[in-house]
Amino acid sequence: MLKKVVSLILALSAIPVSTVHAENIPDYSLWNRFIKYDLRITDYDSLTDEEKDLCKFIFETERSAPDTIICERARRKLAGYDVGERVDPEQIGNYYNIIDRCENYWLLTPYPNPDENGYESFHEKYDFFKEMATFDTVPDILHLDDDNYYNEYWVDDDKTASIEIGLNSYYTLEKDPFIYKVYDGDSYEVYEIEKNLDTLPTMEYEGCTYQIYPDNTLALYSFDDKTISSVDIPESIDGMEVTGIKMFAFDESEITSVHLPETISYIEPFAFYQCEDLRNINFPKSLKSIGGSGFCDCTALGDINIDCPDLKFSSFSFYHCLAKNITVNTRVVPKHITSHFLKYKSLNFGKDVTEIGYNYLLDKNIEIPENVKVITWDVIPESYITIPKHIEILGSYGRASGNLYHSVSIGGDPVIPLIENKSMTEMYNTTMEGYYGTEAHNYAITHNAKFRPLDDLLYGDSNGDGKINIADLVSLKNYLLKDTDISYSADVNKDGRIDVFDLAELRGQIIRNT
């Protein structure tokens, strides 16, 4: 069967596999930073053997590769996400493309201006994406450099074969074939898999048009009856499950209410673009992705409840929207969501949220629940930031990026946060408010940031006897000379550090009180 869908174009007998290079030995001095600030793991010993193997695989593979890469599938699997089925070389030719809908960075632009690019309309620029019969799967390796930019999909965990999709074939309906490599030790043979570019069949059902995918699933392609104010999308039609909402499916319609079935796993970018009358919509637990600007300009939304454990979405998914009360229960809540909502009354985090952006700390009306363990940031503003006791990781690393000469204005070198530490920015004039012995305190000490403790202590009572006298001065002096144990109450000037400045402050305090 495979011989019918591939054609041999080149046989290379002695080319090493690109992702593993024995001569590049990973620097294990970075291991602890990698585990905590890259993978967001605070208790490595509690991991299973399989999870530890994934950590090692990610670290060694990314560090030994000659180009800038991300082990995307392994990272998501480690984080607990559903990574879906692997590609099947026997079937992939039936699809126009492979797209991981959770990472559609190419359509995150929130409000493109068609005139800037010479397009007559916004739809003219993006409509052809609707025609693509995408096979939704997570790539194993993302290659990020401009001169080596492609996604690599393995057919199994051992990489006995892989399919590579480059930038040019990724976003077009041209007959650029998929590159299929079959490995034999350190060498591989290269084949082409031709795409089937036939138009997808469609069917109509209750005022909507659905695309029929090669795997006999359906995606809502367009909402045709503009007179209908509400629609209840079925779980299946003629035995075929409805699994997605295509790009521009409802755009600029007068729809007011949409009910999505539990079979829906993706909402593509701009699916509800400019649905200014949309007031009610549910988000099924099965939902895995909402594309960039999926609900752009939906300015009549009421209460929103996103309780989807496997959902990955961006802050741009709800660009330029209005809503009342928002509840989000996903593993990660992207930063700046609230800045893209024009107005909202409340934002609440559910029990499954473990990671949020720093900007939510600035809104005193937002409660950070104890299940949130990670707070990420890029640049910290000049302000007081209060860090709750239960936060275990601050300032996690961002994603690596390649030498993208065509998309940056200055320079073009790849950015690898683990090595360059760029995401752990200096604090400028920011003061961190928190508690002794917590991540906030440790971070402030490590990065020489200002720290203001919130602990209720008798400052100056170095020996912990409930009084401040000469005995405390002796206790603090002994600590500084011999590094013996001492209470945080010895931090007399309340800067998060116990040093000679506290000794001078305590001495003056005792003199003034005698």
Side-chain angles (χ1 to χ4, degrees):
M1 175 65 179
L2 184 60
K3 297 297 184 182
K4 296 181 180 179
V5 296
V6 300
S7 59
L8 181 61
I9 59 172
L10 183 62
L12 305 176
S13 59
I15 298 180
V17 177
S18 61
T19 10
V20 180
H21 289 258
E23 67 272 15
N24 296 332
I25 306 300
D27 180 2
Y28 271 91
S29 66
L30 302 173
W31 175 257
N32 290 334
R33 289 215 315 261
F34 168 76
I35 292 296
K36 182 174 182 180
Y37 292 108
D38 197 321
L39 297 184
R40 278 84 152 155
I41 294 172
T42 57
D43 188 3
Y44 179 78
D45 292 335
S46 68
L47 300 182
T48 65
D49 289 342
E50 180 183 5
E51 290 170 331
K52 290 180 179 179
D53 287 343
L54 279 173
C55 293
K56 185 178 180 181
F57 167 78
I58 296 168
F59 181 80
E60 293 185 345
T61 304
E62 292 181 353
R63 298 280 63 79
S64 63
D67 56 335
T68 313
I69 68 168
I70 295 175
C71 296
E72 187 70 11
R73 188 178 184 89
R75 283 177 173 270
R76 294 216 202 159
K77 188 175 181 180
L78 183 63
Y81 287 102
D82 178 13
V83 294
E85 298 294 329
R86 289 193 176 277
V87 296
D88 181 355
E90 300 278 356
Q91 299 296 328
I92 198 62
N94 295 326
Y95 290 81
Y96 294 179
N97 215 333
I98 304 174
I99 287 184
D100 171 13
R101 294 186 178 92
C102 295
E103 298 295 346
N104 280 341
Y105 293 119
W106 47 280
L107 279 173
L108 286 184
T109 305
Y111 208 109
N113 184 348
D115 296 335
E116 292 179 358
N117 298 306
Y119 294 96
E120 293 182 4
S121 71
F122 187 21
H123 294 72
E124 182 184 345
K125 181 176 181 180
Y126 292 119
D127 254 352
F128 73 93
F129 286 111
K130 291 183 70 175
E131 306 301 328
M132 301 175 76
T134 59
F135 181 73
D136 189 12
T137 190
V138 176
D140 288 86
I141 306 294
L142 305 180
H143 295 262
L144 303 176
D145 291 329
D146 235 20
D147 55 350
N148 197 33
Y149 191 94
Y150 65 95
N151 286 357
E152 188 177 325
Y153 300 81
W154 300 359
V155 300
D156 53 38
D157 291 343
D158 296 325
K159 193 184 177 182
T160 58
S162 68
I163 294 176
E164 297 178 0
I165 301 182
L167 183 62
N168 291 334
S169 61
Y170 211 64
Y171 308 137
T172 69
L173 295 183
E174 303 297 329
K175 291 190 70 71
D176 297 337
F178 299 122
I179 301 301
Y180 180 56
K181 294 182 177 180
V182 179
Y183 298 93
D184 180 14
D186 290 336
S187 64
Y188 56 77
E189 292 185 346
V190 182
Y191 302 83
E192 286 183 351
I193 300 179
E194 299 294 339
K195 298 178 186 177
N196 176 9
L197 297 184
D198 294 339
T199 303
L200 286 175
T202 60
M203 62 180 298
E204 295 184 5
Y205 183 83
E206 295 185 349
C208 297
T209 298
Y210 293 84
Q211 282 182 332
I212 304 174
Y213 270 56
D215 60 356
N216 284 325
T217 60
L218 300 177
L220 196 152
Y221 180 82
S222 64
F223 177 61
D224 303 324
D225 191 342
K226 305 299 183 182
T227 64
I228 299 177
S229 61
S230 64
V231 61
D232 188 348
I233 299 173
E235 289 190 355
S236 64
I237 304 172
D238 295 342
M240 296 178 287
E241 281 193 349
V242 181
T243 59
I245 310 297
K246 293 290 287 186
M247 185 183 298
F248 300 121
F250 286 92
D251 73 300
E252 300 181 2
S253 72
E254 297 179 3
I255 192 76
T256 61
S257 179
V258 176
H259 181 268
L260 302 177
E262 286 299 322
T263 52
I264 293 291
S265 64
Y266 63 90
I267 297 173
E268 290 193 355
F270 305 104
F272 293 90
Y273 178 62
Q274 290 190 343
C275 289
E276 297 177 351
D277 298 315
L278 180 62
R279 294 176 176 83
N280 300 301
I281 186 168
N282 66 303
F283 297 91
K285 282 186 175 292
S286 57
L287 191 62
K288 294 197 297 183
S289 66
I290 301 176
S293 296
F295 291 87
C296 181
D297 283 343
C298 292
T299 52
L301 293 173
D303 292 347
I304 295 177
N305 182 21
I306 304 175
D307 184 11
C308 309
D310 284 327
L311 176 64
K312 287 176 68 69
F313 65 111
S314 77
S315 55
F316 290 116
S317 296
F318 293 91
Y319 181 79
H320 211 260
C321 288
L322 287 174
K324 295 180 181 178
N325 303 301
I326 306 167
T327 300
V328 182
N329 189 37
T330 60
R331 289 182 179 85
V332 177
V333 179
K335 59 188 176 183
H336 303 312
I337 287 180
T338 51
S339 63
H340 292 303
F341 276 103
L342 299 179
K343 189 183 295 184
Y344 65 97
K345 290 184 178 180
S346 68
L347 173 64
N348 299 295
F349 299 125
K351 61 181 177 58
D352 295 324
V353 177
T354 60
E355 179 180 322
I356 63 173
Y358 82 89
N359 54 301
Y360 301 114
L361 295 172
L362 306 180
D363 189 335
K364 302 303 180 183
N365 296 319
I366 297 177
E367 180 181 355
I368 310 299
E370 291 193 7
N371 46 276
V372 174
K373 303 300 181 184
V374 181
I375 294 178
T376 61
W377 55 50
D378 295 320
V379 178
I380 301 299
E382 296 184 7
S383 64
Y384 283 97
I385 297 180
T386 302
I387 308 296
K389 286 183 177 180
H390 52 81
I391 300 303
E392 299 178 359
I393 300 176
L394 286 173
S396 297
Y397 298 136
R399 291 172 65 87
S401 59
N403 58 339
L404 301 177
Y405 291 98
H406 300 307
S407 60
V408 293
S409 56
I410 300 175
D413 294 332
V415 175
I416 305 175
L418 175 62
I419 296 176
E420 301 175 16
N421 211 19
K422 288 186 176 180
S423 65
M424 305 288 279
T425 57
E426 293 188 12
M427 301 297 293
Y428 302 106
N429 293 320
T430 302
T431 297
M432 301 185 70
E433 298 180 321
Y435 297 85
Y436 291 113
T438 64
E439 171 72 357
H441 184 208
N442 295 334
Y443 185 94
I445 297 297
T446 302
H447 295 270
N448 198 29
K450 297 177 182 177
F451 183 76
R452 188 167 76 178
L454 299 176
D455 302 74
D456 185 14
L457 301 174
L458 179 60
Y459 291 96
D461 181 19
S462 300
N463 60 7
D465 64 357
K467 298 176 290 185
I468 300 177
N469 51 36
I470 193 67
D472 297 299
L473 194 63
V474 173
S475 176
L476 178 53
K477 181 180 178 180
N478 288 337
Y479 166 76
L480 295 175
L481 290 175
K482 302 176 182 178
D483 197 22
T484 57
D485 291 338
I486 200 168
S487 167
Y488 283 121
S489 57
D491 180 18
V492 187
N493 61 5
K494 304 178 186 178
D495 66 351
R497 300 159 176 80
I498 299 176
D499 49 28
V500 294
F501 297 104
D502 297 298
L503 186 67
E505 179 72 21
L506 179 58
R507 180 177 180 276
Q509 182 178 332
I510 293 174
I511 292 174
R512 289 191 297 270
N513 292 334
T514 56

